[in-house]
Amino acid sequence: MTLAKDPTATSSARLKQISIVGAGAIGQLIYHQLSSAVNASSVSLNIISRAQHSKQQKLTFTDLNNVESTYIAELVGQDDYGQQLPKTDLLIVCVKAYQVVAALKILIPMLSSHCHILLLHNGMGPHLDVANMLKGQSLTLGTTSQGALKQSAWHTKQTGKGITQLGTFNTESIFNSQSTVNTKNAFHPQKAFSQQRASKQRVLPESLKNILLSAIPHSQWCVDILTMLWQKLAINVAINPLTAIHHCHNGQLADEQYRDIITAVVIELVNVAKAEHISLALPAILDKVYQVIALTAANYSSMHQDVQHQRTTEIDAINGFVVQMAKRHGIATPHNQQLVDHIKHLELQYQR
Ligand code: PAF
């Protein structure tokens, strides 16, 4: 199948390569979902690898019905970055939040200015740095509640259904809230604003959008993606550190003993979001947190798994992001800070 001509793009002939960075469980899940969708089309799919040399890799995927599929994936090694990255039309970044900026520092200079970048990770924050690093590329943000677990390096199992929300990072929307702040990842809205004005290419074309939405089950395009990301962040600030600290399944957080701390961290987040012009209704957000606790009751959260496997956690992009944004607005977030400190303390025990 050849992609239909995209009326919103200047050249549909350019829409030919999707690359995934980060072959963790979510990266491999997205690879599987996209390969089913792009199999018969002229779109090619590859994985950007950290290895020196390119190679073909057998991937195994087990779906929710325990049906196994295998693929031969093209892993693009550093030797071939210069040849492959300029041809990439959509770069889907599935590395952990704390790896996003370092990975894109290397990759962005090799991408064409027509490339589109999609960030798909837990937590928030890296988008502010990435927005300042772009060389004309558009930035789409996403969040997924799909569950996936690696069985081995190249075998991933889907563990849960969930919605995936995607949307354009509208640089104009945060012009007022961040233009006077000078922090490590302060966003330079004037620069991004003029880039956005200068080129209509800076939004994901319909053809690529349609590929994503048809490939990823229960995915939706959200005009207000930042609100969606804050909503997901509320789920993560409550579930992730508490399950890691108390070494429990998500479902255990329904116990009464966790109610006060869950309410406190979510109230702090709602206050910070409000200062960022994101309006979240506390009762609805708390309901959502408890719905996810119930729906994923048997799962271990990603932060629980990170701590158990002695990996760096995403705490800086989860509760740490709330604390960081709160500081900009002079808002106190002692409960989120306490969870950040606790997780950092756990990390120190194995990272020493
Ligand atoms: O990070 C995670 O584990 C997930 O985002 C969630 C929704 C908390 C379920 O475990």
Side-chain angles (χ1 to χ4, degrees):
M1 182 187 89
T2 307
L3 285 171
K5 190 162 167 48
D6 177 6
T8 65
T10 50
S11 166
S12 60
R14 286 206 206 97
L15 300 178
K16 56 185 178 224
Q17 186 159 296
I18 299 180
S19 302
I20 296 176
V21 189
I26 292 296
Q28 290 190 38
L29 170 65
I30 298 293
Y31 184 96
H32 157 78
Q33 293 174 333
L34 280 171
S35 35
S36 321
V38 302
N39 239 350
S41 80
S42 63
V43 176
S44 69
L45 189 59
N46 61 31
I47 295 177
I48 305 299
S49 144
R50 272 180 305 191
Q52 195 62 40
H53 307 300
S54 297
K55 66 168 187 170
Q56 293 195 322
Q57 176 66 51
K58 181 176 158 203
L59 301 192
T60 306
F61 179 79
T62 307
D63 73 12
L64 288 165
N65 301 317
N66 275 327
V67 176
E68 249 182 47
S69 332
T70 54
Y71 304 90
I72 301 298
E74 300 293 330
L75 300 195
V76 178
Q78 294 184 30
D79 289 345
D80 294 314
Y81 281 7
Q83 200 211 339
Q84 291 299 326
L85 285 166
K87 293 197 280 181
T88 292
D89 299 285
L90 172 62
L91 187 76
I92 306 181
V93 184
C94 299
V95 296
K96 295 274 195 180
Y98 55 84
Q99 297 169 323
V100 169
V101 169
L104 287 180
K105 253 187 200 147
I106 297 167
L107 303 178
I108 286 178
M110 286 183 259
L111 295 172
S112 110
S113 60
H114 300 289
C115 181
H116 303 274
I117 298 176
L118 163 61
L119 303 185
L120 201 56
H121 57 76
N122 258 347
M124 290 180 76
H127 63 296
L128 301 175
D129 290 308
V130 172
N132 282 323
M133 291 158 58
L134 298 173
K135 303 264 183 275
Q137 300 85 8
S138 80
L139 189 57
T140 300
L141 306 181
T143 175
T144 186
S145 302
Q146 299 191 92
L149 208 53
K150 270 194 173 183
Q151 308 292 289
S152 64
W154 298 106
H155 180 184
T156 295
K157 182 174 168 38
Q158 182 160 14
T159 52
K161 287 183 193 163
I163 60 164
T164 300
Q165 294 166 311
L166 307 169
T168 304
F169 179 43
N170 179 358
T171 53
E172 264 181 274
S173 71
I174 56 167
F175 179 86
N176 293 328
S177 65
Q178 298 189 12
S179 57
T180 56
V181 181
N182 184 18
T183 71
K184 181 169 78 61
N185 58 7
F187 178 71
H188 302 307
Q190 289 292 14
K191 188 174 132 199
F193 183 52
S194 57
Q195 281 171 350
Q196 191 172 0
R197 279 271 168 94
S199 166
K200 286 211 157 61
Q201 287 286 306
R202 301 195 73 249
V203 292
L204 198 64
E206 289 299 315
S207 50
L208 283 172
K209 203 190 271 186
N210 291 340
I211 288 174
L212 291 173
L213 295 179
S214 58
I216 305 173
H218 313 292
S219 57
Q220 43 189 247
W221 192 259
C222 301
V223 176
D224 193 1
I225 188 66
L226 282 180
T227 299
M228 303 305 151
L229 293 180
W230 278 94
Q231 285 177 5
K232 176 74 189 318
L233 193 67
I235 292 164
N236 290 126
V237 295
I239 298 180
N240 293 36
L242 290 173
T243 49
I245 292 165
H246 299 283
H247 189 13
C248 62
H249 290 110
N250 294 355
Q252 215 157 313
L253 299 182
D255 284 4
E256 195 51 38
Q257 58 169 315
Y258 300 110
R259 187 161 287 273
D260 287 352
I261 181 70
I262 289 176
T263 307
V265 290
V266 175
I267 287 176
E268 289 177 2
L269 176 140
V270 168
N271 290 339
V272 177
K274 189 171 175 205
E276 284 288 305
H277 308 289
I278 303 287
S279 167
L280 303 175
L282 180 65
I285 292 290
L286 277 173
D287 277 357
K288 188 85 202 144
V289 170
Y290 281 99
Q291 266 171 33
V292 174
I293 286 173
L295 282 170
T296 62
N299 293 6
Y300 283 116
S301 78
S302 54
M303 197 173 290
H304 175 278
Q305 292 175 51
D306 285 339
V307 169
Q308 289 308 304
H309 292 100
Q310 309 207 330
R311 299 186 292 237
T312 304
T313 70
E314 294 181 293
I315 192 73
D316 285 336
I318 299 180
N319 305 73
F321 180 72
V322 174
V323 171
Q324 189 199 343
M325 298 309 278
K327 284 187 182 144
R328 294 181 173 194
H329 299 286
I331 297 173
T333 49
H335 296 94
N336 279 282
Q337 183 67 63
Q338 183 198 327
L339 294 182
V340 171
D341 294 345
H342 202 140
I343 295 293
K344 293 273 181 197
H345 178 74
L346 291 179
E347 284 179 337
L348 263 185
Q349 325 243 302
Y350 51 78
Q351 286 179 342
R352 257 200 271 256

